Amino acid sequence: MLKIENLSVAYGGIEALKGISLEVEEGKIVTLVGANGAGKSTMLRSIVGLVKPKAGSITYQGKNLFAVKRHDLVKNGIALVPEGRRVFPDMTVLENLKIGAFTRKDHQEIKADLEWIYTLFPRLKEREWQAAGTLSGGEQQMLAVGRALMSRPKLLMMDEPSLGLAPLIIKDIFNIIRKIHSQGMTILLIEQNANAALHLADVGYVIETGRITLKGTGKELLDNEDVKKAYLGESVVAKK
Amino acid sequence: MMNFNAVFMYLTGMDLGTFLQHLTNGISLGSLYALVAIGYTMVYGTLRLINFAHGDVFMMTTYFAFYGVSTFMMPWYVSFILAIILTGALGMLLEKWAYRPLRDAPKISIMISAIGASFLLENLAVVLFGGRPKAFPSVKILTDSIQLGSVSIQKLTFVIPIVTVIFLVGLLYLINHTKTGMAMRAVAKDYETAGIMGVNVNLTISQTFAIGSMLAAVGAIMWGLKFPQIAPLMGVMPGLKAFIAAVIGGIGNIKGAVIGGFILGIGEIMIVGFLPSLSGYRDAFAFIFLIVILLFKPTGITGEKIAEKV
Ligand SMILES: Nc1ncnc2c1ncn2[C@@H]1O[C@H](COP(=O)(O)OP(=O)(O)OP(=O)(O)O)[C@@H](O)[C@H]1O
Ligand SMILES: [Mg+2]
């Protein structure tokens, strides 16, 4: 569905991505884990055209994504839950959800999807009229996920949806991810919470300072000694 | 009523009728500032840019309307509507040619481009229309006076605020209750995320310029009717004052621009009315007021925090 090949990105002189390749197959959950500054967000920002890669290609359903305008991505079925949520703070929860469906014209279906989002996140329904900027961090994250879902994406990309959230909320968010995946959505999940992400994922990639260093099924990576040491620190400590 | 008038006169040194006349004048001047101020505030809200050419766009409207009536012999209302539409197009072209290429450049570059665009329009007007002032078409039905008791008031004094309110209501509806308005608010806050949501950012910025310019055009036409002498530099002072109105109200905030416009318009007329000896300093009032506001409330009356976009 999505294929990234030899992607290189540089900010000024600093190379953030040094030729990475990654593939997301339809219907799968693919996760990319890596430390701070490894280049995870840079990769997502390249997909949505927020940074201009130096080299490499990104194809989506056989199409060269660089030729697709940013505001047409969503029509092509690509949605992003950006790093740091980026909800529109002055708009209400409802408006934020509606802007997720900005390019859609099927009003009846939009209504139905709104109800669906509210069943996924009942908290959002309670706060329909609240300005998004006044929501708690966790609620904002739910809103960012809900907003992305409102476009009825084929490919949902999420940049660290668990960042800064309490363990209980993280569990909720991951449960939701599992749920929407079971309803047929393809997911590219970026996480530092490697443990949870790898448990969920069909395929995992490990990125280190701009290079993919490991690739495998979620389970393979969970069992990998290097991964354990570098990213699953907690469980190593737990075993002691 | 007589008694009240006497008390009022004792307190203010002005009789009630005169006061009301000043007030209506102030309201209509304030309406014009408000209409122009909205354009500054919308563009600032979206691009963090002070559109220095806005006053000159205002000036261009009056010439469009002038030539429509004089050269092309159109009925005044056709010419005025056409002038408003042309001004909207001019605003869009301004954005496309002078600002869009610099959108990712440092703020100072785009600011300089705005100043350049302003000079360009002013000098273009001199070359195309001549430096000598022209008479704005007069429209009797609007500029006639009516007799109210002992005072006669120009109909325009009422027409201006009414037209302004109609456009303001329309604008607020557009911004708050339509998809286009939602896109504008989204782009103003976070154009990257808006784009990812499927909002066409270039189109939305274009629309923002069109709307801001057209509101200024409505103001310009009424300005022309009220002060029927048009010249290439006529946009400078109203533009500057409307900008001050936007800053006073809290730049980036539409309601603030309207409030600022009215405060400035009413204040200016009242100063002259109450202290005729200061009427030579009429234009200075706006600047003094700006300084005072900035000293006590740097973010303007509506006091929104101005989050610096980097
Ligand atoms: N706009 C920018 N200008 C310069 N350098 C940047 C810019 N954005 C990112 N970088 C650098 O690129 C590298 C990769 O950043 P990126 O945001 O992709 O990391 P990340 O893997 O998402 O990290 P995190 O988990 O902390 O979000 C970092 O070294 C970062 O400092
Ligand atoms: Mg990141």
Side-chain angles (χ1 to χ4, degrees), chain A residues 40-41 83 159-160:
Chain A
K40 305 181 297 295
S41 300
E83 182 169 36
D159 196 343
E160 302 198 35

Side-chain angles (χ1 to χ4, degrees), chain A residues 71 86 90 95 99 102, chain B residues 179 185 189-190 192 199:
Chain A
H71 58 260
R86 305 275 284 260
D90 297 340
E95 280 180 315
I99 208 165
F102 190 79
Chain B
K179 256 180 117 162
R185 284 181 288 144
K189 268 293 166 218
D190 182 348
E192 287 184 353
V199 174

Side-chain angles (χ1 to χ4, degrees), chain B residues 63-184:
Chain B
Y63 279 99
F64 294 153
F66 170 84
Y67 285 107
V69 170
S70 67
T71 307
F72 297 98
M73 312 289 249
M74 295 176 203
W76 60 271
Y77 46 89
V78 177
S79 170
F80 288 1
I81 291 173
L82 215 58
I84 293 169
I85 294 170
L86 280 176
T87 309
L90 178 64
M92 287 163 72
L93 286 181
L94 176 70
E95 186 272 324
K96 185 159 182 189
W97 289 340
Y99 304 147
R100 191 177 301 176
L102 295 170
R103 203 175 290 158
D104 297 319
K107 284 277 124 63
I108 188 77
S109 312
I110 189 164
M111 214 69 114
I112 291 167
S113 183
I115 295 170
S118 166
F119 287 160
L120 177 73
L121 286 176
E122 286 166 12
N123 290 294
L124 203 64
V126 173
V127 172
L128 293 178
F129 314 138
R132 220 183 301 156
K134 293 190 186 321
F136 194 79
S138 89
V139 179
K140 284 277 171 303
I141 333 180
L142 300 176
T143 50
D144 272 351
S145 291
I146 44 171
Q147 205 66 28
L148 277 182
S150 61
V151 289
S152 95
I153 295 185
Q154 218 187 5
K155 276 189 205 160
L156 206 54
T157 310
F158 301 106
V159 171
I160 290 174
I162 292 169
V163 170
T164 302
V165 167
I166 292 171
F167 277 92
L168 286 184
V169 170
L171 177 72
L172 290 180
Y173 180 81
L174 176 91
I175 299 276
N176 292 320
H177 299 287
T178 67
K179 256 180 117 162
T180 307
M182 187 197 249
M184 286 177 169

